[in-house]
Amino acid sequence: MCHTAFVLHKFLTKNKEIELVLPETWQAKDLFDQLQKNLTEFSKWLVWANKIDSVQKEADSIKMFQQKMVDGTAFNLVILVDGQPAGMIDLHNLNHESGEVGYWLSNDFQHLEIMTESVEFLKKYAFEQLKLDYLILRTHPKNSASQNVAKRSSFVYLKDDENGHKVFVLRNN
């Protein structure tokens, strides 16, 4: 069955077509497969990675993301690479002032500027459409790749939080 995604942003990088789309349950199997393929790496950085242990749990997560979007407490997007789900990016803990940026991307597609461009789109959406005052981005203290995305996207290191994660902030100018 061919599925059509609701595309919010599209760009090309390194001969790859990238689309940021609304999450839908038909994406669950591909997202689950990517999580499983990258589980050893992801479980170092993402506390929830080991909890998604079935396609059904991924589908349930997508339904939860959809409800949080309806409630206005989150904004989630799936990252399609050449039409295939390869990761996600979101704003969570969303309120009228701020949101927290989160993301993951299959190792197959890292180092292609996909995440930096995706964060740039999310920043623009957060500041121009949602009218947020600032964004927060937390990284594991040893996740230098994620810290580099934060820095390339103009986030400024603020502090280490109570869990030892590095906290970066970007204010809307």
Side-chain angles (χ1 to χ4, degrees), residues 70-89:
V70 169
D71 295 342
T73 59
F75 179 71
N76 299 74
L77 297 172
V78 171
I79 301 167
L80 301 182
V81 177
D82 293 333
Q84 294 299 308
M88 295 188 80
I89 186 166

Side-chain angles (χ1 to χ4, degrees), residues 7 10 21 25 27 33 60 74 84 87 94 99 107-108 114 121 145:
V7 180
K10 183 187 284 192
V21 305
T25 54
Q27 301 155 341
D33 289 347
D60 292 344
Q84 294 299 308
L94 194 55
N107 286 334
D108 293 343
I114 294 169
F121 170 76

Side-chain angles (χ1 to χ4, degrees), residues 2 4 16 26 30 35 39 46 59-60 69 78 102-103 141 158 161 166:
C2 183
T4 302
K16 302 281 184 197
W26 64 263
D30 287 334
L35 286 170
L39 191 58
L46 306 169
D60 292 344
M69 290 174 71
V78 171
Y103 47 78
L158 180 65
D161 69 12
K166 301 213 170 285

Side-chain angles (χ1 to χ4, degrees), residues 42-105:
F42 288 175
S43 61
K44 294 179 196 174
W45 320 123
L46 306 169
V47 295
W48 53 264
N50 287 314
K51 295 176 184 166
I52 305 296
D53 58 6
S54 69
V55 173
Q56 184 58 53
K57 283 190 180 175
E58 182 62 35
D60 292 344
S61 294
I62 290 171
K63 290 174 189 172
M64 179 191 66
F65 300 151
Q66 291 169 332
Q67 186 58 53
K68 286 183 175 192
M69 290 174 71
V70 169
D71 295 342
T73 59
F75 179 71
N76 299 74
L77 297 172
V78 171
I79 301 167
L80 301 182
V81 177
D82 293 333
Q84 294 299 308
M88 295 188 80
I89 186 166
D90 78 324
L91 289 172
H92 52 276
N93 298 331
L94 194 55
N95 59 55
H96 68 281
E97 290 181 337
S98 67
E100 190 164 330
V101 177
Y103 47 78
W104 66 268
L105 183 65

